[in-house]
């Protein structure tokens, strides 16, 4: 009994000691945990106090990392940023130049904005900032020396007048026979609009941009019209409509062709790319046609009745005469409409045939010296007679040259200063002068005209006047030499 009691006592003592040890261990753990909590609280509190005057970790202000910095320290970073600032200018053609903040006296002053931002920060919330980025923007005062900027800009290579070249609008190519015109592409030059560049620079610097693309920013003087523009396409269409039109004027066996090779020399392009034709050159072309093919008022040669060649002097009213105004108007109409034309010009009057001897083979040959005329029909003399022409002594000479019978009339009274003469057959060829019968005369031909001639008309025997009247038509050429 005693031994068993002793054994139970020993077991009880051992169990008590284990309990005491466990209790002490719990107390130590509790104490350690308490110490850790106290230390952690102290650290958190200390950090909170720190972040009351410092920016949170991972804080970025206006693109600048201000992590753990005071407002003053962060302000110094802004000052450093101004010193380090560089604006890169990307230029047309791949060139690059730089403007430095130092060169233009750049200053970046956040003022009190950093302190105000820091005052808004809850220092006790610093732990949250460990797991996320924080970005803020504050108002800063950015300033620089405008004069220094202008000087720096004037020193840029892109502002060197010698290195600039102008933009060019799209334009028509040289004319190519058979195809016409194409468009030559516009040229994008390097002439900088200084006022635009300065505006863009001011904007870029005030936003502290790192780059400025001069082309994208519209700093260059650009072409007004590109090949793709509506105006350029209209110009091309109009020019090709003109030069792809052909006007062919026929002058007997000769032709004058107005095609692209001619019309291309008349093309005028205005500043707004509208296309017109040079009216002066068009008129000059028609005038040249008239000079070439008009025969009115020009001298002619004539193989006379005797077989000799004589000259019919200039000055008469017979022959071709181009109506230049109407011809020009018609030509302009064809070209504006793009309408081909083959035919004659517009005439004031025509002749029997083209060429120098435009009187053809039906005409009246009048020799003043012989006082005789010959009427040819298809080259054969069908009537001839003596006559009396204008009185030379009194200065009433019959005019020489190539004329045309204006009309025929019966039973007329010819009146002038000091005379009134009734005639049966009147065939005038120029004002106041014509063929007519002269019943008051008994002789014709010879030298009568030298002192006893007419007032300029060709006095005929009655029989000759009658036959001529019956044979001749208005418009017949009268060649007087």
């Amino acid at each position: 009994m005693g031994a068993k009691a002793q054994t139970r006592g020993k077991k009880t003592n051992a169990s008590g000691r284990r309990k005491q040890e466990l209790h002490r261990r719990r107390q130590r753990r509790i104490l350690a945990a308490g110490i850790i909590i106290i230390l952690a609280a102290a650290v958190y509190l200390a950090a909170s106090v720190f972040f009351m005057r410092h920016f949170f970790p991972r804080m970025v202000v206006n693109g600048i990392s201000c992590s753990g910095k005071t407002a003053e320290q962060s302000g110094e970073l802004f000052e450093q940023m101004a010193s380090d600032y560089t604006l890169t200018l990307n230029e047309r053609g791949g060139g690059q130049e730089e403007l430095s903040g130092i060169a233009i006296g750049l200053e970046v002053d956040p003022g009190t904005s950093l302190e105000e931002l820091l005052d808004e920060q809850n220092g006790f919330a610093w732990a949250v900032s460990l797991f996320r980025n924080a970005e803020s923007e504050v108002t800063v005062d950015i300033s620089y020396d405008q004069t220094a900027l202008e000087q720096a800009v004037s020193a840029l290579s892109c502002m060197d007048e010698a290195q600039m070249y102008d933009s060019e609008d799209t334009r028509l190519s040289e004319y190519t026979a058979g195809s016409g015109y194409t468009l030559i592409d516009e040229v994008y030059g390097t002439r900088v609009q200084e006022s635009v560049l300065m505006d863009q620079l001011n904007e870029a610097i005030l936003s502290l941009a790192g780059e400025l693309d001069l082309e994208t920013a519209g700093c260059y003087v650009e072409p007004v019209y590109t090949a793709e523009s509506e105006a350029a396409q209209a110009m091309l269409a109009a020019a090709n409509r003109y030069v792809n039109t052909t006007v062919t004027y026929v002058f007997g066996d000769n032709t004058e062709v107005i095609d692209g090779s001619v019309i291309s020399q008349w093309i005028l392009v205005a500043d707004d790319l509208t296309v017109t034709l040079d009216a002066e050159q068009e008129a000059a072309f028609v005038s040249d046609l008239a000079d070439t093919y008009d025969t009115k008022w020009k001298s002619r040669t004539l193989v006379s009745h005797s077989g000799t060649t004589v000259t019919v002097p200039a000055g008469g009213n017979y022959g071709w005469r181009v109506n230049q105004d109407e011809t020009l108007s018609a030509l302009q109409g064809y070209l504006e409409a793009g309408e081909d034309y083959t035919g004659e010009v517009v005439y004031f009057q025509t002749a029997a045939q083209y060429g120098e001897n435009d009187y053809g083979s039906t005409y009246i040959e009048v020799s003043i010296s012989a006082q005789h005329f010959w009427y040819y029909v298809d080259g054969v003399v069908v009537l001839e007679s003596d006559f009396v022409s204008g009185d030379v002594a009194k200065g009433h000479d019959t005019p020489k040259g190539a004329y045309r019978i204006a009309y025929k009339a019966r039973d007329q009274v010819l009146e002038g200063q000091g005379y009134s003469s009734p005639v049966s057959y009147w065939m005038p060829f120029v004002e106041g002068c014509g063929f007519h019968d002269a019943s008051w005369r008994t002789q014709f031909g010879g030298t009568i005209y030298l002192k006893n001639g007419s007032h300029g008309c060709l006095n005929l025997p009655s029989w000759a006047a009658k036959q001529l009247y019956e044979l001749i038509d208005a418009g017949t050429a009268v060649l007087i030499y």
Side-chain angles (χ1 to χ4, degrees), residues 42-340:
V43 169
Y44 190 87
L45 181 60
S48 298
V49 171
F50 177 83
F51 285 113
M52 289 179 182
R53 300 312 307 158
H54 297 77
F55 285 109
F56 284 156
R58 309 179 75 172
M59 170 61 80
V60 176
V61 180
N62 289 35
I64 299 174
S65 175
C66 296
S67 176
K69 300 290 193 299
T70 64
E72 182 178 355
Q73 291 170 334
S74 298
E76 292 173 355
L77 293 178
F78 276 80
E79 293 175 5
Q80 185 61 44
M81 178 184 67
S83 298
D84 296 340
Y85 176 74
T86 299
L87 175 60
T88 299
L89 306 181
N90 297 319
E91 299 166 0
R92 178 168 282 166
Q96 284 189 331
E97 297 187 76
E98 293 183 344
L99 289 174
S100 69
I102 293 176
I104 62 175
L106 180 65
E107 294 182 358
V108 180
D109 183 6
T112 62
S113 59
L114 291 174
E115 285 87 349
E116 293 169 358
L117 179 62
L118 194 56
D119 288 343
E120 295 174 2
Q121 180 176 283
N122 182 359
F124 290 99
W126 64 269
V128 178
S129 68
L130 298 174
F131 304 101
R132 66 183 183 188
N133 293 327
E135 295 185 5
S136 294
E137 292 287 333
V138 297
T139 301
V140 295
D141 181 17
I142 300 173
S143 61
Y144 53 91
D145 187 330
Q146 185 68 32
T147 300
L149 174 61
E150 292 173 358
Q151 292 174 345
V153 168
S154 65
L156 293 172
S157 295
C158 67
M159 297 303 295
D160 183 356
E161 186 73 24
Q163 298 188 44
M164 292 184 187
Y165 60 92
D166 292 322
S167 293
E168 298 177 11
D169 290 340
T170 183
R171 65 186 189 279
L172 294 174
S173 66
E174 293 294 324
Y175 169 74
T176 300
S179 58
Y181 294 102
T182 58
L183 288 177
I184 295 177
D185 286 338
E186 64 280 0
V187 174
Y188 290 88
T190 58
R191 183 167 299 283
V192 175
Q193 302 181 81
E194 186 172 355
S195 61
V196 176
L197 175 60
M198 292 303 299
D199 289 342
Q200 292 296 321
L201 286 174
N202 288 328
E203 184 176 333
I205 294 170
L206 290 175
S207 63
L208 298 177
E211 291 185 346
L212 176 63
D213 188 294
L214 271 61
E215 188 166 8
T216 303
C219 295
Y220 294 106
V221 179
E222 303 288 29
V224 178
Y225 298 105
T226 66
E228 291 75 26
S229 66
E230 183 177 341
Q233 293 298 318
M235 170 182 68
L236 179 64
N240 280 331
R241 183 183 74 248
Y242 285 133
V243 297
N244 289 327
T245 302
T246 300
V247 176
T248 303
Y249 287 125
V250 179
F251 299 89
D253 294 333
N254 296 329
T255 58
E256 297 288 344
V257 179
I258 306 171
D259 58 12
S261 63
V262 176
I263 300 167
S264 61
Q265 300 175 48
W266 300 349
I267 295 288
L268 296 176
V269 181
D271 291 341
D272 62 357
L273 301 194
T274 55
V275 179
T276 56
L277 295 178
D278 189 329
E280 290 186 0
Q281 291 198 58
E282 290 177 297
F285 187 92
V286 172
S287 178
D288 287 343
L289 288 181
D291 288 343
T292 301
Y293 294 100
D294 277 359
T295 56
K296 186 176 181 180
W297 301 308
K298 293 183 179 179
S299 64
R300 295 161 178 79
T301 58
L302 169 68
V303 178
S304 72
H305 64 284
S306 64
T308 61
T309 299
V310 298
T311 298
V312 179
N317 59 20
Y318 185 85
W320 296 96
R321 184 185 173 201
V322 174
N323 185 329
Q324 295 187 40
D325 289 343
E326 291 297 326
T327 298
L328 176 60
S329 178
L331 171 61
Q332 291 172 333
Y334 300 139
L335 297 179
E336 289 300 326
E339 176 183 343
D340 291 344

Side-chain angles (χ1 to χ4, degrees), residues 360-364 374-384 471:
S361 59
T362 297
Y363 56 89
I364 302 174
W374 297 263
Y375 178 36
Y376 297 81
V377 176
D378 296 329
V380 177
V381 176
V382 297
L383 179 66
E384 61 177 295
L471 292 172

Side-chain angles (χ1 to χ4, degrees), residues 382-429:
V382 297
L383 179 66
E384 61 177 295
S385 172
D386 285 340
F387 58 76
V388 175
S389 63
D391 192 316
V392 174
K394 295 178 181 178
H396 296 318
D397 302 57
T398 298
K400 300 176 181 65
Y403 298 91
R404 60 193 304 134
I405 297 297
Y407 60 90
K408 300 189 300 183
R410 289 293 310 274
D411 303 325
Q412 302 292 303
V413 177
L414 308 182
E415 295 181 338
Q417 186 174 2
Y419 71 93
S420 177
S421 303
V423 298
S424 298
Y425 304 98
W426 172 234
M427 295 158 280
F429 52 80

